[in-house]
Each structure stands twice: as C-alpha cells, then as structure tokens.
Amino acid sequence: MSTPTLRFDRGTLLLEGLPDDEVPEGFVYDDRVHLWRAPALCYRTALAVLHRRGSPYDDQARAYVPLGRPHRSVRTPRPYQAEALAAWQRAGRRGVVVLPTGAGKSLVAELCIANADRSALVVAPTLDLVSQWYGALRRAFGEPVGVLGGGVREIEDLTVATYDSAHLYAERIGDRFGLVVFDEVHHLPGPMYALAARSVIAPFRLGLTATLERPDQGHVILDELVGDVVYQRTIRELAGDFLAPYSTEVVPVELSAEERAEHDRAVETFRTFKQDKGIGSGRSGFQQFLRAAGRSEAGRAALAAYRESRRIVQRTPRKLEILADLLAAHRGARCLVFTTDNATAYQVSRTFLVPVVTHRTDPKERRRLLDAFADGTLPVLATSRVLNEGVDLPEAEVAIVLSGTSTVREHVQRLGRILRPKDGKQAVMYELVVMGTHEEAASARRRAHDAYR
C-alpha cells in the first residue's frame, strides 16, 4: 500500500492510498478518478484520521502558511472579548461568537487571527464592510492585506472578501487559508455561501454575528460549516458598561377615519382571497399567496389590496407629524430615520430636507453623507434597510423607526446602530406603530427579544 496522500482539487479533497475501511467520514468513491473525494471542509477530520494511524502520510492539500505578523492593536481587550477568545480556543479554534453591534466583534476576530497564526480569509457581506475590515486589518497586522470584491482580485496571506467573491473563488483559493472568519455569519447558510464554506480547507473557523437565528432555521447548519456557538453576550448584559445606555419607546399612531376605512377594505379583500384559496399564515403562507395571486384577476386584485394596505400604514401623514416632533425634541443629536421601503425614505427626505441613503446611493456619495453625519454637518439621515447592518456609526444617538419588518434581527441591528459607546451618551429608539394594523403585531413579536425588556 502506498503512502496515503491528501490533495486539494477545486474545492474538494482527493484521498488515495488508504484502506477502504479506514477512509474518513464524508469521503465517497469517485469512479471518474478512482479516488476518494470529499468537500474541502472535511480536511480537519481527514487529518485527524491520518494522524491517529501513526504512520506517514503526505499532506499536499495545505497551501496555507503561518501568518507570522504580530498583533499591533493598541486596544486592550475588554473582559468579554478575552473570554470569547478563550472559549474559541477551548472549542478547537472553531465556533460562533454572538455579541451585540458595537461590542467590538472585530477585535475578537483580530485576537483569533493572532492566536491561530495562520494565513486568514475574512468574509463580509458588503463592500462597505470589506472596506472597514481592510482598514482594521492593516492597522492590526500591517501590509499587505488582499481584497476580493468590487472588481479587485488581490490574494494575500491576510485577505478580506465579500461573500459573493468568496463563493466565486473558493474552488481556486480554498487551500490558501488556515483560518476563515465569517462576519455577519447569519448570511452563510444561503446555498451559494454555504458551498463556499464547504470549499475551503481552513481547519480553524470563526463566525461573528449580533443576530444568529434565521426565520428559515438555516442557522442550524452553522455547526457543520463553522462550529457551535462558543460565546454569547446580550445587549442588556453589556449596556451601560460597554455599550451606551439606552431606552426604547413605542409611539402609537392612529389612522384618520378615511385612512382606516381604506385600510380595512384593502385588508378584507386580501384576507378573503386567502381564505377562499385555503392559504395559511406565516412566511410559507405568504409565498403561497404570491404564487396564487398571479393566476387570476381576483388574485391580482388581492395583491394590489395588500400593497395598498401597506402603503397606507407606511406613509400615513400622522407618522410624519410625529417624526417632526421627535426631530425637534432631539435637535442637534445624530438621528437615523429607518423605513421599510425606499419610497417612504424619499418622502422623509423631501419633507424634512434631509439626505437619504438607499441601495441606489452612489458609493462615493454614500461615503460623503456618512462622513458628514459623523462630523455633525448633517445630523439626520433617512434610510430604508441599507444601514441596518455593518455600518460603523458611533455618533448615532437616536433611531426613529417609521416602519419595519416583524423580524427580531432587523430591529436588533437597528438598535445596534445607536449603541456604540461615547462619553455622556444616552441612546433612544422610537418605534412608530399604527394601532389596529399588522404593525402592532409585528412590534409585539420584535419586542419579545431580550433587548427590549
């Protein structure tokens, strides 16, 4: 029998020279090449099996190297950050760390990168976050730092990439990194991104998030892709000491008599169609409704009625009146105004002559607006969903939610935008909720989260 050999091949591992009854779990026989094949994710398991045999083997899969760079950060880890590092080490340098926005997840990642001392890939969901990580990694570990995303393809021993680019290049560079860090790891369970995680050999893995759970329960596969949750702290545990103290307030909104009548008629049209078709509630029920709506005139009318009911609730003039009062009460403070849709964000912008940031905003313009918000030149920004996640806005003090989804994740993320600590800061989040509509139930579901108690 020849020396067992392990090789990396386009996001997978090839194994030869091992008796069939000793082949590690996860490998299947590939008749095309007459070798055993497994996802690159199985590298750690395969090495453990080969090592336990106590005889020589040839590891040709590994192309990663020691990082060999000191951690130059001047920040002293907070106790919980040091605890997170220790928990990750105890778990075999695999696992997910759940910390609130503003709690310093990036420093935890830097500590883990330094501890692992292997070439590392940091994966983030947006180009804004890639840019933030690029700057942080340069400060912490020096040059060079590679970038994958936004038309840039520079691979270094320390590289930051978008999830999309990691998916595109994983089969080619999956052997280059001994550690992979997934920022906002709740994005990872999507089919394409999960494939990227399976296509890299990195035996060391770290996931970071403030909001782990997904409505589709996809987070359950993170144990396979990254590891189990090894450390978790909540907003309430850290607020006041390590995050800004905060309060949340629901502001009830009443529709006018005319709006109420129009809203209730629209809702009745929508509900009647669902009942006639035997369509249930929840996420799956709504998807079923959308499929059914396009098949008949009644269905299209029901869809139009559903959209009209949402429009009435989201853009009732009463919300703008209350928003005017809140902005006046917090004059001079940095305020973020959140909406669900772009149309409402633009309406706020026109009414109050404040800038708006949406997915359509040019990157350079967006950077200019965020810089002006930071220095106080533009103390109010309106936005739909693009500032929910990942953008560093330590000066933000007030969040005013004109409309939102029922998901806890979205509102914990929005709350997190105002929780970065600053001397004398008292953060506050307002939710404007139209009584007797879907917003009331959605708010109740969101506020079941510990952060709101």
Side-chain angles (χ1 to χ4, degrees), residues 345-388:
Y346 289 126
Q347 182 184 33
V348 170
S349 178
R350 291 191 299 269
T351 303
F352 297 95
L353 301 180
V354 298
V356 62
V357 177
T358 72
H359 70 282
R360 298 173 182 170
T361 306
D362 178 85
K364 291 183 179 178
E365 174 70 4
R366 179 173 168 174
R367 186 69 265 161
R368 186 186 70 79
L369 293 176
L370 294 179
D371 289 344
F373 180 82
D375 66 24
T377 306
L378 297 172
V380 180
L381 281 180
T383 184
S384 49
R385 298 183 181 182
V386 296
L387 298 186
N388 283 358

Side-chain angles (χ1 to χ4, degrees), residues 145-196:
V145 175
V147 174
L148 270 177
V152 181
R153 186 180 180 275
E154 299 172 352
I155 311 297
E156 302 289 350
D157 290 339
L158 188 55
T159 295
V160 57
T162 62
Y163 274 88
D164 288 333
S165 294
H167 167 68
L168 288 174
Y169 290 100
E171 291 187 355
R172 281 172 272 180
I173 65 171
D175 57 344
R176 286 284 309 269
F177 303 100
L179 167 65
V180 59
V181 178
F182 295 104
D183 190 20
E184 309 293 355
V185 74
H186 50 269
H187 289 278
L188 189 60
M192 289 197 319
Y193 300 158
L195 177 61

